[in-house]
Amino acid sequence: MYLPRAFEEKMKDLLGAEYEAYLSCFDEPRHYGLRVNTDKISVEEFLKIAPWELTPVPWISNGFYYDGEKDQPAKHPYYFAGLYYLQEPSAMTPADRLRVEPGDRVLDVCAAPGGKATELGARLAGTGLLAANDLSNSRAKGLLKNLELFGIGNVLILSEEPGKLVPYFRGYFDKILIDAPCSGEGMFRKDRKMIRAWEEHGPEFFSKLQRSIITQAAQMLRTGGMLLYSTCTFSPEENEQTIEYLLREYPEFTICEMEGYEGFAHGMPEVTESGNQELKKTVRIFPHRMKGEGHFLALLKKGEEAGGMDGSTAGRMAGKMAASSEKLPSELKEFLSTVKREFDTARIDIRADKVYYMPEDVPPLKGIRFLRTGLLLGELKKKRFEPSQALAMNLKKEEYGHIIDLPVSDDRVVKYLKGETLDVEDLTGPKDKGWYLVCVDGYPLGFGKLGNQTLKNKYLPGWRWQSS
């Protein structure tokens, strides 16, 4: 296994007697992880229906290992129902330790492809707000898909340099997660291509970027709010020294203890200029100590600034949206009457022909790039309303009156996911027609339109099942 000489020397200094144990882990197989979407299904219920052998990730309550050489959970209808996310086990830790609660306003600063954001959104359980940002517009599109697949509707999907977000969200968020761009040293074992990237852009390059991001994020956190900073690297410049920099620039922040695990290693104050012993509260994950790749985590709380002001000028006033149900198009009102859920009509926003259900108290966003604001309910088309794929994934089976629920063993499930028209004469009455929510074992997959016992497929083309 080739490792750059400079990296080897640094790791010897960092690990001392544990260095040989670290090297030996490169000969071991990688670990594959699956994280249950607890906003759709409980862990207990998922284990009853999971068709693979799963072993708990001991420090993540909804995380499991699976055999990635044998099993293919990404090619299963339950994946298309958004019941789980495939994620490296150590990478599950940041979103788990941020302590997100229903009603929080949460920002994921560097969110694509959505591994952390999907867990943050699931913990909000349809309340509060999740703002998920990624500078890359193409990566943000993948982020949007993953959040919609998970059924998360209380979202803002942004694509901006974090500093540009500060004037819009100063002091606005209760929780912020920064899974920072980094040199990727902790991923060398999983992805050997990261070694070449490290040689091109090492820790010094990324540490400057991280210091910019973390200080920008600090301004968007409210007093009393929590910030979790993480990387998948071992570099002190990108880890403890970045936290030391934040504390120097924003002394109102303090480092908090995280829920522990026997494999976690303490942060290393000795690699910083200040030697601040509070840095021991940060966490390092080494692959020779536990079944996961390399990671670093720091959980911080924001106190009041000197002088007692926190600078919170967050635009907490929502933009003007549809004012009353009387102003809603009749075809939209007719469809919403079939959904067994209360909609606050003041939060319904119609732009061109698209209809969105906005989160509460969203500040005006004019001037910044975004891919989605709120839940896309559907589209108005020539005196009819067509519900969206995002709405289908956001609904629970019991929230919609017209259901076609197929067992996972029914070959029509895969046919539906491939975009094929379905014969459902055995499941519907001779006069039934209209929009139906198609489910697998009670979990929504998408919509179809029924006529003459034939279901016209409305599954989103870009999401369709691809044959091997």
Side-chain angles (χ1 to χ4, degrees):
M1 173 65 193
Y2 164 75
L3 291 171
R5 176 64 61 86
F7 174 73
E8 288 185 319
E9 294 302 319
K10 182 174 71 173
M11 292 303 289
K12 286 178 184 178
D13 290 340
L14 204 63
L15 291 172
E18 292 186 47
Y19 178 67
E20 292 302 323
Y22 165 71
L23 280 186
S24 67
C25 78
F26 281 89
D27 298 322
E28 298 174 3
R30 59 173 288 192
H31 305 291
Y32 295 84
L34 175 156
R35 197 193 71 246
V36 178
N37 180 0
T38 53
D39 191 39
K40 284 185 177 282
I41 186 171
S42 69
V43 169
E44 294 73 24
E45 289 300 314
F46 180 74
L47 291 176
K48 291 178 184 177
I49 64 173
W52 321 282
E53 182 178 349
L54 300 174
T55 305
V57 175
W59 67 97
I60 304 291
S61 61
N62 59 331
F64 295 88
Y65 298 103
Y66 69 93
D67 187 341
E69 304 301 320
K70 180 182 69 174
D71 301 321
Q72 290 186 298
K75 294 290 289 183
H76 193 282
Y78 293 158
Y79 177 85
F80 290 79
L83 299 190
Y84 51 85
Y85 190 96
L86 302 181
Q87 187 174 30
E88 191 280 314
S90 291
M92 299 178 188
T93 315
D96 183 84
R97 294 307 196 264
L98 184 53
R99 308 174 189 171
V100 166
E101 299 173 350
D104 280 344
R105 293 170 174 171
V106 183
L107 171 64
D108 188 344
V109 180
C110 309
K116 280 83 173 174
T118 48
E119 175 65 8
L120 300 173
R123 292 190 174 209
L124 288 173
T127 66
L129 169 69
L130 172 65
N133 178 70
D134 201 274
L135 178 59
S136 166
N137 191 262
S138 60
R139 283 170 53 84
K141 290 176 181 176
L143 167 66
L144 171 60
K145 177 188 174 180
N146 283 325
L147 287 168
E148 289 189 335
L149 184 65
F150 247 52
I152 299 165
N154 50 321
V155 294
L156 301 177
I157 311 296
L158 307 166
S159 184
E160 279 292 0
E161 188 274 322
K164 194 168 181 180
L165 300 178
V166 174
Y168 295 84
F169 295 105
R170 192 179 301 276
Y172 181 87
F173 293 103
D174 302 297
K175 308 281 169 62
I176 295 179
L177 188 144
I178 307 169
D179 187 42
C182 69
S183 60
E185 296 170 352
M187 296 292 117
F188 284 3
R189 199 176 75 97
K190 175 185 173 185
D191 185 355
R192 306 298 164 90
K193 294 192 296 293
M194 296 297 297
I195 297 174
R196 180 173 294 179
W198 184 90
E199 291 177 316
E200 293 177 4
H201 292 294
E204 184 178 352
F205 171 84
F206 284 101
S207 65
K208 294 177 182 177
L209 181 61
Q210 292 150 359
R211 291 182 180 198
S212 174
I213 292 172
I214 199 170
T215 50
Q216 290 162 351
Q219 298 172 62
M220 292 186 275
L221 191 66
R222 69 165 177 83
T223 298
M226 307 292 289
L227 183 151
L228 193 140
Y229 172 86
S230 69
T231 71
C232 57
T233 195
F234 303 121
S235 162
E237 301 99 305
E238 302 176 70
N239 294 335
E240 289 93 348
Q241 291 176 24
T242 296
I243 301 304
E244 179 185 48
Y245 177 81
L246 173 68
L247 297 178
R248 187 164 61 243
E249 296 296 310
Y250 291 89
E252 64 268 27
F253 278 85
T254 56
I255 303 173
C256 301
E257 295 275 6
M258 278 175 276
E259 181 185 346
Y261 171 67
E262 61 183 359
F264 288 172
H266 294 297
M268 300 177 173
E270 63 272 19
V271 299
T272 66
E273 183 179 332
S274 67
N276 183 350
Q277 293 302 299
E278 288 292 295
L279 288 164
K280 285 185 176 179
K281 294 177 181 177
T282 64
V283 168
R284 282 178 170 269
I285 296 176
F286 291 107
H288 63 283
R289 287 193 171 200
M290 50 201 294
K291 293 181 179 180
E293 306 305 328
H295 250 71
F296 172 84
L297 300 91
L299 180 65
L300 302 110
K301 184 173 183 178
K302 184 178 183 179
E304 287 192 0
E305 294 181 15
M309 299 292 289
D310 73 349
S312 297
T313 58
R316 295 194 178 240
M317 295 300 291
K320 292 292 183 182
M321 293 175 282
S324 69
S325 60
E326 286 75 20
K327 294 184 179 181
L328 297 182
S330 58
E331 57 269 35
L332 174 60
K333 290 170 66 176
E334 180 181 357
F335 177 83
L336 293 180
S337 70
T338 67
V339 180
K340 301 172 185 177
R341 180 193 292 180
E342 290 291 328
F343 286 96
D344 179 356
T345 56
R347 291 168 55 189
I348 293 177
D349 187 16
I350 301 175
R351 279 173 261 147
D353 294 325
K354 290 187 168 60
V355 183
Y356 301 89
Y357 192 60
M358 297 291 287
E360 292 187 275
D361 299 331
V362 177
L365 300 176
K366 185 178 180 180
I368 57 176
R369 292 188 302 171
F370 57 85
L371 279 72
R372 177 75 80 245
T373 54
L375 171 65
L376 175 61
L377 295 178
E379 193 169 353
L380 297 162
K381 294 184 174 182
K382 296 180 181 178
K383 296 297 181 181
R384 62 186 173 87
F385 176 76
E386 186 165 309
S388 72
Q389 181 69 40
L391 175 61
M393 303 308 294
N394 183 257
L395 290 170
K396 304 291 191 289
K397 175 186 174 182
E398 59 273 14
E399 291 181 319
Y400 196 70
H402 303 297
I403 300 291
I404 292 176
D405 192 9
L406 302 169
V408 72
S409 57
D410 193 318
D411 62 4
R412 286 176 292 187
V413 173
V414 174
K415 287 182 179 179
Y416 174 77
L417 292 171
K418 288 182 176 180
E420 298 177 18
T421 298
L422 302 185
D423 182 347
V424 292
E425 187 173 0
D426 58 320
L427 301 174
T428 58
K431 295 184 179 180
D432 290 350
K433 62 180 182 178
W435 290 103
Y436 276 71
L437 184 64
V438 181
C439 301
V440 56
D441 290 340
Y443 298 99
L445 293 172
F447 282 109
K449 198 162 191 182
L450 183 67
N452 299 320
Q453 285 77 59
T454 299
L455 190 77
K456 186 177 181 181
N457 200 308
K458 293 294 183 177
Y459 191 67
L460 193 65
W463 288 22
R464 287 178 182 170
W465 182 293
Q466 301 296 317
S467 299
S468 300

